[in-house]
């Protein structure tokens, strides 16, 4: 019998839940059909539902007043202080005395082994009396004093009446005993989450704003009145229930102690059916309002394209009724019905309602604080502190109700926001986040103006000079790939291009060029900005980009440009002249410069090097750019598996072992992993190949010079060159001759008068160390004296310059040089400064090719251009010789400051 009763007790809640699922589904279907037929029918039903709800509320207040002098008969049976469930008995007593005999009741059978008085009974049942109290003693009973304080319970605890005496024992209570048990653990935050959905109708007016005649007037008045009315009803109902109804009855969730009767229905006057009908109509009315407002809101979101995958729900009937949105809303409601537990559904609903209210308050507060011109609230009592307070309360309630549900809701909201941001909304309604971003950006830019960044915060902020063709397509997209690999999405990147012409005529081409740049930036995943400048000539446009790109402290510190291919074949020769002027301007602006040679061979972002080397030829100290760039590249997946190697050049009088040791220690302190190798370069005679290369270079310079002369000047120049050549061939005594230079006499005179302090080095003024490429440096070509040293030194330092100058006073010419000149008379006209530079470039190129021919990338110092612009074409030739036979080369020129440090 006990087993059967336990099984029956466990099956009853399941049957009750199934009944709720069936009835709920039927009611939901009926309401969905009503809404589908048309919203006008909902509005007609709304008045009927509202009338029933008002009558129910008035009936409750009338019943409370009646209990003050005539409380209803509403008995509750208690054993000791434990509340008994009346499902298994009808008389609240252990036994009945009929006069002749004592008869046990059904309650006795529930606690004892037999219906006889000598039966073995439950200890608590035997030690305590059974009493019957009124569940609704009335408003005049003073019950509110007992119900004023909290009494939270855990799952499976018996509902007990506080203040009633009883004899307790330590026996374990079985759930099969006829007590009223708590079905869930209760606490304040949980009850707030359950209660909150009852006050979530404040947005009903906003959701149906399209159906209102004057939404600006109706929504504030209607919302405030609704909040005030419902708040008054809820608060007074709670207080009056606590004053009239016993606490054990209020905590009896399923009404087991009162045999399933409606407590509020019993309290109401004149009949419980008023509450039954009112509750039914109130529930149906709220459901109809939700089924009317929610689909319209969903349809509006779908039509605006805010959430792309919801577009299908934007369709509806011809009259605009949201058919598909209504279907989705009904399906979501059905899920809640199938759960069949308001205690489980309510916290979930509370989270999303609170999220909605939180963002509404946040939007209002942000718009006010940012003083957005188009934010003009009509409600005159509004202040941003109210919105901020509401936002704070919503956020607090989310975590008070359920912290894990709050985290899940915030995660879902974040995912939806990122999805919208990623896919992009078809319509832009504006948001407070953009205004907030502008304010934050302004604040950050002003902070950046306070001073230059520290060395440990330095990173290349790139200005990429991209060239576009006639169709405004990027010529070398690999430059953008290299930019992505260098930046990895960090720092500033500006991709600039220059169009030749006037702005009024070429504005459409400028827009197409910007679109092309944006597309290639998106393809190569370069996060930054693009800027197209229209100028009367390319040279000025590049200068404008270098000077004006960026804003405030957010400016570029490095310029990335491609090497001018086929610069020898250009008829106007303006490309390489623009390039050299670019080098000069970056030096003057103290900007670092990166020149990518053979840009078409650089890898794209989809390529991977499984092995290989990144070789750095560290000839002079440039502030650390040569070491920083490969370190940044190796953070990208393209270069991740490549090994970094650093080569430095030593001369005969250098200690190669000590140099390698010092450089290894330096790299260790920089926390850069790289292989170090010291390359020794010995002095050697100038080869015939070097002279031939120099001769071709200077002959080309003469041709370029003649292209810019008038006809008479050209004839005089040709005659001068012819006379010089004839004099060189007929010369009998080479010791009395003077080497003729390919520069005008006045330039030679100027060069001779320049002091040795004006020999400009490739690196900045604070750079230390030796330089192999100082023979390729910025100083103007020096005239070679009559007597030249027998062997040309590899490095052109200041001391050797002084020594050579002193030796030049000797009246005799070394035999080695004289023999060369006797072999080919035209060689003696060569500028020996150019010969030395070409010799250094050839020798250094031979060493680089020997060591790094198979390297995936070669980085080396970039010599600066000469101060005298008449030697620009020679400078290009030197760089071309220096980087011959190498696939991928990055020429790097520092900006005059340290960019790498040993400090973290």
């Amino acid at each position: 019998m006990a087993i059967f009763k336990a099984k029956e007790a466990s099956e009853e809640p399941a049957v009750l839940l199934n009944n709720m699922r069936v009835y709920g589904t039927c009611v939901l279907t009926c309401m969905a059909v009503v809404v589908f037929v048309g919203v006008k029918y909902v509005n007609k039903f709304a008045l009927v539902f509202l009338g029933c709800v008002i009558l129910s509320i008035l009936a409750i207040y009338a019943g409370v007043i009646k209990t003050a002098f005539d409380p209803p008969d509403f008995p509750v049976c208690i054993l000791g202080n434990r509340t008994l469930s009346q499902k298994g008995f009808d008389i609240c007593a252990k036994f009945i005395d009929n006069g002749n005999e004592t008869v046990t009741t059904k309650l006795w059978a529930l606690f004892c082994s037999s219906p006889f008085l000598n039966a073995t009974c439950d200890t608590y049942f035997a030690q305590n009396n059974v009493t019957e109290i009124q569940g609704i003693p009335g408003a005049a009973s003073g019950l509110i004093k007992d119900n004023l304080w909290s009494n939270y319970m855990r799952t499976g605890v018996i509902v007990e009446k506080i203040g009633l005496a009883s004899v307790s024992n330590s026996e374990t209570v079985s759930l099969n005993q006829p007590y009223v048990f708590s079905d869930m653990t209760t606490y304040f935050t949980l009850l707030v989450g359950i209660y909150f959905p009852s006050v979530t109708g404040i947005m009903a007016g906003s959701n149906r704003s399209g159906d209102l005649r004057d939404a600006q007037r109706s929504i504030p008045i209607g919302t405030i009145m609704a909040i005030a009315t419902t708040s008054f009803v809820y608060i007074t109902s709670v207080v009056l229930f606590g004053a009239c109804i016993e606490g054990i009855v209020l905590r009896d969730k399923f009404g087991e102690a009162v045999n399933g009767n409606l407590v509020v229905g019993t309290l109401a006057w004149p009949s419980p059916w008023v509450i039954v009908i009112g509750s039914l109509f109130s529930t149906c009315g709220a459901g109809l309002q939700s089924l009317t407002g929610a689909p319209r809101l969903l349809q509006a979101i779908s039509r605006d394209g805010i959430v792309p995958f919801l577009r299908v729900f934007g369709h509806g009937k011809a009259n605009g009724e949201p058919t598909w949105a209504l279907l989705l809303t009904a399906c979501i409601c059905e899920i809640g019905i199938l759960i069949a537990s308001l205690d489980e559904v309510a916290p979930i609903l509370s989270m999303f309602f609170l999220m909605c209210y939180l963002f509404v308050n946040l939007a209002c507060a942000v718009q006010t604080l940012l003083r957005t011109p188009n934010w003009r609230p009509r409600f005159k009592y509004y202040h941003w502190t109210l919105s901020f307070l509401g936002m704070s309360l919503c956020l607090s309630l989310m975590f008070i109700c359920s912290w894990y549900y709050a985290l899940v809701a915030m995660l879902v909201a974040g995912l939806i926001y990122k999805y919208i941001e990623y896919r992009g909304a078809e319509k832009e309604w504006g948001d407070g986040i953009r205004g907030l971003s502008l304010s934050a950006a302004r604040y950050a830019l002003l902070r950046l103006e306070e001073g230059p960044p520290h060395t440990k915060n330095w990173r290349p902020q790139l200005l990429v000079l991209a060239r576009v063709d006639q169709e405004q397509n990027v010529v070398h997209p690999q430059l953008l790939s290299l930019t992505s690999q260098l930046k990895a999405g960090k720092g500033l990147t500006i991709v600039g291009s220059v169009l030749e012409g006037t702005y009024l005529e070429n504005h459409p081409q400028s827009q197409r060029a910007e679109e092309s740049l944006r597309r290639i930036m998106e393809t190569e995943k370069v996060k930054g900005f693009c800027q197209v400048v229209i100028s009367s000539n390319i040279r000025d446009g590049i200068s404008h980009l270098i000077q004006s790109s960026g804003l405030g402290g957010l400016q570029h510190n490095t310029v990335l440009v491609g090497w001018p291919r086929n610069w020898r074949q250009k008829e106007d020769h303006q490309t390489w002249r623009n390039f050299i002027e670019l080098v000069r301007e970056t030096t003057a602006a103290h900007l670092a410069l990166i020149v990518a040679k053979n840009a078409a061979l650089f890898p794209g972002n989809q390529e991977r090097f499984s092995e290989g080397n990144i070789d750095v030829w560290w000839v002079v100290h440039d502030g650390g750019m040569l070491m920083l760039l490969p370190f940044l590249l190796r953070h990208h997946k393209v270069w991740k598996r490549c090994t970094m190697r650093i080569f430095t050049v030593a001369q005969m009088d250098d200690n190669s072992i000590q140099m390698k040791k010092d450089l290894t220690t330096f790299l260790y302190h920089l926390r850069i992993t790289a292989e170090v190798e010291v390359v020794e370069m010995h002095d050697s005679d100038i080869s015939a190949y070097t002279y031939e290369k120099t001769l071709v270079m200077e002959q080309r310079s003469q041709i370029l010079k003649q292209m810019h002369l008038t006809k008479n000047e050209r004839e005089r120049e040709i005659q001068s060159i012819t006379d010089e050549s004839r004099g060189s061939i007929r010369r009998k005594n080479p010791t009395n001759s003077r080497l003729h230079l390919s520069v005008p006499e006045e330039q030679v005179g100027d060069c001779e008068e320049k002091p040795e302090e004006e020999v400009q080095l490739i690196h900045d003024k604070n750079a230390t160390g030796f330089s192999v490429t100082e023979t390729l440096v910025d100083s103007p070509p020096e005239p070679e004296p009559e007597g030249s040293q027998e062997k040309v030194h590899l490095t052109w330092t200041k001391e050797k310059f002084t020594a050579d100058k002193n030796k030049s006073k000797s009246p005799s010419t070394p035999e080695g040089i004289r023999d060369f000149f006797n072999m080919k008379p035209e060689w003696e006209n060569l500028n020996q400064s150019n010969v030395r530079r070409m010799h250094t470039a050839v020798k250094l190129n031979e060493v680089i090719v020997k060591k790094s021919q198979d390297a995936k990338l070669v980085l080396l110092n970039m010599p600066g251009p000469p101060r005298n612009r008449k030697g620009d074409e020679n400078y290009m030739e030197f760089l071309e010789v220096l980087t011959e036979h190498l696939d991928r080369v990055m020429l790097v020129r520092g900006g005059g400051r340290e960019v790498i440090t040993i400090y973290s």
Side-chain angles (χ1 to χ4, degrees):
M1 178 67 71
I3 297 176
F4 175 77
K5 288 182 179 180
K7 183 178 180 181
E8 182 181 2
S10 62
E11 287 180 352
E12 285 183 359
V15 173
L16 180 61
L17 294 179
N18 289 333
N19 293 340
M20 292 173 60
R21 293 185 178 102
V22 173
Y23 296 147
T25 303
C26 295
V27 174
L28 175 64
T29 304
C30 295
M31 290 192 298
V33 170
V34 172
V35 175
F36 178 77
V37 171
V39 70
K40 61 181 180 179
Y41 296 101
V42 176
N43 294 332
K44 291 179 179 179
F45 281 122
L47 296 176
V48 178
F49 295 154
L50 178 61
C52 294
V53 171
I54 294 175
L55 288 177
S56 301
I57 296 173
L58 294 177
I60 293 174
Y61 288 133
V64 171
I65 296 174
K66 180 177 178 294
T67 60
F69 54 86
D70 186 16
D73 184 22
F74 202 62
V76 176
C77 189
I78 296 178
L79 175 63
N81 63 351
R82 297 177 179 180
T83 307
L84 294 174
S85 175
Q86 291 190 1
K87 292 182 179 181
F89 63 95
D90 53 354
I91 300 176
C92 184
K94 294 182 180 181
F95 46 83
I96 300 174
D97 188 3
N98 291 333
N100 297 327
E101 60 179 346
T102 303
V103 180
T104 58
T105 62
K106 293 181 179 180
L107 180 61
W108 179 280
L110 294 177
F111 288 95
C112 301
S113 58
S114 69
F116 302 105
L117 295 176
N118 58 355
T120 303
C121 297
D122 180 78
T123 305
Y124 187 85
F125 180 78
Q127 294 177 349
N128 290 275
N129 296 324
V130 176
T131 56
E132 187 178 71
I133 64 172
Q134 288 298 322
I136 305 178
S141 62
L143 192 61
I144 192 170
K145 296 179 181 179
D146 297 331
N147 291 335
L148 186 63
W149 312 109
S150 61
N151 186 14
Y152 302 116
M153 306 175 66
R154 294 191 304 274
T155 303
V157 175
I158 300 175
V159 177
E160 298 178 345
K161 179 173 173 55
I162 301 174
L164 195 62
S166 67
V167 179
S168 61
N169 61 1
S170 59
E171 292 183 3
T172 304
V173 179
S174 173
L175 293 177
N176 297 324
Q177 292 178 326
Y179 294 119
V180 177
F181 295 95
S182 172
D183 69 320
M184 61 183 300
T185 301
T186 57
Y187 43 90
F188 175 76
T189 56
L190 176 67
L191 298 180
V192 169
I194 295 174
Y195 171 76
F196 188 78
S198 62
V199 292
T200 54
I202 60 174
M203 299 292 289
S206 301
N207 295 340
R208 301 182 60 184
S209 58
D211 299 328
L212 298 176
R213 182 180 303 170
D214 187 2
Q216 296 186 22
R217 180 178 180 275
S218 300
I219 291 177
I221 296 177
T223 302
I224 294 175
M225 292 299 294
I227 293 174
T229 304
T230 54
S231 298
F232 173 79
V233 171
Y234 289 146
I235 293 174
T236 55
S237 297
V238 169
V239 174
L240 293 177
F241 288 167
C244 297
I245 305 173
E246 277 284 353
I248 56 175
V249 178
L250 293 174
R251 285 186 288 274
D252 183 7
K253 182 176 178 180
F254 298 104
E256 298 177 71
V258 293
N259 204 18
N261 293 319
L262 292 178
V263 178
V264 180
T266 305
L267 175 67
W269 181 86
S271 172
W273 286 102
V274 177
I275 301 301
V276 173
I277 296 174
S279 298
L280 176 62
F281 284 176
S282 174
T283 305
C284 292
L288 287 174
Q289 294 296 328
S290 298
L291 288 175
T292 303
R296 280 166 169 72
L297 182 62
L298 178 60
Q299 185 185 44
I301 294 173
S302 304
R303 287 181 174 177
D304 290 341
I306 297 175
V307 182
F309 71 85
L310 294 178
R311 289 192 185 97
V312 65
F313 299 105
H315 305 290
K317 295 192 298 185
N319 59 356
E321 291 295 322
T323 306
W324 292 101
L326 175 62
L327 180 62
L328 177 62
T329 305
C331 292
I332 296 175
C333 295
E334 180 64 20
I335 293 174
I337 291 174
L338 294 178
I339 294 175
S341 176
L342 186 62
D343 296 339
E344 300 295 333
V345 176
I348 302 176
L349 295 178
S350 299
M351 289 304 112
F352 291 101
F353 275 114
L354 285 169
M355 286 285 288
C356 175
Y357 303 153
L358 183 148
F359 285 121
V360 169
N361 282 285
L362 176 62
C364 295
V366 169
Q367 297 279 25
T368 306
L369 291 175
L370 294 178
R371 301 183 185 277
T372 305
N374 287 318
W375 171 248
R376 298 182 296 273
R378 186 178 295 274
F379 190 63
K380 61 181 179 180
Y381 300 107
Y382 168 76
H383 194 268
W384 69 269
T385 53
L386 296 176
S387 297
F388 188 79
L389 178 62
M391 180 195 69
S392 303
L393 290 175
C394 290
L395 185 62
S396 302
L397 282 176
M398 287 177 63
F399 285 92
I400 287 175
C401 295
S402 176
W403 64 267
Y404 45 88
Y405 279 153
L407 293 178
V408 172
M410 295 177 70
L411 177 63
V412 171
L415 292 176
I416 293 175
Y417 176 79
K418 296 305 292 184
Y419 173 76
I420 296 173
E421 185 182 44
Y422 174 74
R423 293 296 302 270
E426 292 183 358
K427 291 185 179 180
E428 179 59 52
W429 296 103
D431 53 46
I433 301 298
R434 184 173 180 83
L436 192 63
S437 300
L438 288 174
S439 297
R442 172 182 172 275
Y443 174 77
L445 286 173
L446 293 176
R447 288 292 303 274
L448 289 176
E449 286 290 318
E450 296 178 0
H454 192 270
T455 302
K456 66 181 181 181
N457 298 325
W458 194 94
R459 65 168 58 246
Q461 316 289 0
L462 291 179
L463 170 61
V464 184
L465 298 179
R467 187 162 58 91
V468 295
D469 55 18
Q470 296 295 330
E471 287 75 25
Q472 283 74 48
N473 295 321
V474 180
V475 177
H476 292 301
Q478 290 84 357
L479 272 182
L480 278 302
S481 300
L482 178 61
T483 303
S484 176
Q485 295 159 20
L486 273 173
K487 300 294 293 180
K490 302 296 189 298
L492 173 68
T493 301
I494 302 174
V495 181
S497 186
V498 179
L499 299 180
E500 195 168 5
T502 62
Y503 182 78
L504 293 178
E505 296 177 356
N506 297 299
H507 180 60
Q509 291 85 340
S510 172
Q511 290 181 328
R512 288 197 298 269
E514 284 192 8
E515 292 176 2
S516 177
L517 290 176
R518 288 193 184 96
R519 284 197 304 270
I520 194 66
M521 289 173 68
E522 184 177 355
T523 302
E524 300 298 337
K525 298 181 180 179
V526 176
K527 297 184 180 299
F529 312 96
C530 62
Q531 184 176 0
V532 177
V533 173
I534 301 177
S535 179
S536 57
N537 57 77
I538 301 296
R539 174 73 211 92
D540 292 342
I542 295 176
S543 178
H544 295 158
L545 277 176
I546 293 176
Q547 295 179 59
S548 61
S549 295
L551 178 64
L554 192 65
Q555 290 186 339
H556 58 279
N557 54 29
T558 305
V559 178
L560 173 61
V561 66
W563 174 261
R565 294 183 59 195
N566 303 324
W567 61 274
R568 293 191 181 97
Q569 283 73 33
K570 294 291 183 180
E571 295 181 359
D572 57 354
H573 307 286
Q574 195 60 41
T575 302
W576 59 266
R577 294 184 187 276
N578 293 340
F579 174 78
I580 296 177
E581 289 303 312
L582 168 65
V583 178
R584 287 193 174 101
E585 289 194 358
T586 54
T587 303
H590 301 290
L591 301 176
L593 178 64
I594 303 174
V595 180
K597 195 164 185 278
N598 302 326
L601 300 179
F602 277 74
N605 289 330
Q606 305 303 322
E607 299 182 39
R608 303 289 185 274
F609 288 133
S610 58
E611 58 181 0
N613 300 312
I614 300 177
D615 288 352
V616 178
W617 286 84
W618 191 37
V619 181
V620 296
H621 183 57
D622 58 349
M625 278 287 291
L626 279 175
M627 295 183 181
L628 183 62
L629 292 179
F631 172 78
L632 296 176
L633 283 174
R634 291 185 68 245
H635 279 76
H636 197 272
K637 51 191 174 183
V638 174
W639 307 91
K640 189 173 183 179
R641 298 184 181 275
C642 292
T643 303
M644 181 177 170
R645 299 191 301 180
I646 296 182
F647 296 90
T648 186
V649 181
Q651 296 176 265
M652 289 187 301
D653 53 349
D654 291 326
N655 187 341
S656 301
I657 299 176
Q658 186 62 35
M659 286 180 63
K660 182 175 182 179
K661 182 179 178 181
D662 294 342
L663 184 54
T664 303
T665 304
F666 181 54
L667 291 176
Y668 173 78
H669 289 300
L670 291 177
R671 298 174 297 281
I672 293 179
T673 304
E675 300 177 5
V676 177
E677 184 174 347
V678 179
V679 178
E680 296 183 353
M681 294 180 62
H682 303 286
D683 293 346
S684 59
D685 292 333
I686 300 176
S687 64
Y689 172 76
T690 303
Y691 278 102
E692 289 293 343
K693 294 283 287 185
T694 309
L695 178 62
V696 171
M697 178 184 70
E698 294 199 353
Q699 287 176 347
R700 182 176 177 278
S701 299
Q702 292 286 358
I703 295 173
L704 292 175
K705 186 191 301 181
Q706 293 169 18
M707 293 177 63
H708 298 281
L709 300 177
T710 63
K711 182 177 180 181
N712 294 334
E713 290 174 338
R714 193 180 305 160
E715 292 176 355
R716 288 197 300 270
E717 185 67 23
I718 295 174
Q719 184 63 36
S720 173
I721 296 174
T722 305
D723 293 342
E724 289 176 356
S725 300
R726 289 176 180 174
S728 302
I729 297 174
R730 294 175 181 176
R731 186 181 58 182
K732 300 292 184 179
N733 185 7
T735 58
N736 297 326
S737 66
R738 180 178 179 86
L739 299 181
H740 291 273
L741 305 178
S742 60
V743 293
E745 272 189 31
E746 61 270 19
Q747 182 182 341
V748 174
D750 293 342
C751 292
E752 288 177 348
E753 293 175 1
K754 285 185 180 293
E756 63 185 49
E757 287 79 4
E758 293 190 12
V759 179
Q760 183 181 354
L761 302 179
I762 183 174
H763 50 82
D764 55 80
K765 296 179 181 179
N766 297 327
T768 58
F770 59 90
S771 173
V772 171
T773 57
E774 285 176 12
T775 52
L776 310 178
V777 294
D778 312 51
S779 59
E782 293 290 340
E784 186 68 20
E786 293 182 7
S788 178
Q789 54 185 348
E790 187 172 353
K791 292 185 178 181
V792 180
H793 282 282
L794 191 61
T795 304
W796 190 247
T797 60
K798 198 180 291 186
E799 292 77 8
K800 293 178 182 178
F801 173 80
T802 306
D804 290 344
K805 193 169 184 179
N806 295 332
K807 288 182 181 180
S808 66
K809 299 178 181 179
S810 174
S812 61
T813 303
E815 296 295 330
I817 300 286
R818 189 185 308 149
D819 292 340
F820 267 123
F821 289 165
N822 289 336
M823 288 166 50
K824 285 199 174 182
E826 60 269 26
W827 286 357
E828 65 186 44
N829 290 328
L830 297 178
N831 185 336
Q832 290 303 300
S833 178
N834 288 340
V835 173
R836 286 192 298 272
R837 288 178 173 85
M838 184 63 72
H839 175 68
T840 302
V842 170
K843 296 297 293 182
L844 187 56
N845 176 258
E846 290 176 358
V847 176
I848 294 176
V849 171
K850 180 181 178 182
K851 296 287 186 179
S852 304
Q853 190 170 15
D854 297 330
K856 302 300 181 183
L857 179 64
V858 177
L859 294 91
L860 68 155
N861 295 108
M862 180 180 181
R867 290 182 179 178
N868 190 343
R869 285 178 168 78
K870 295 183 179 180
D872 285 353
E873 62 274 10
N874 298 342
Y875 172 71
M876 295 294 294
E877 193 69 43
F878 291 141
L879 294 182
E880 192 71 55
V881 172
L882 184 64
T883 57
E884 277 184 332
H885 312 299
L886 296 173
D887 292 337
R888 303 180 191 90
V889 182
M890 285 176 62
L891 295 169
V892 182
R893 185 167 175 81
R897 62 162 294 171
E898 294 291 332
V899 300
I900 195 169
T901 177
I902 63 175
Y903 302 107
S904 298

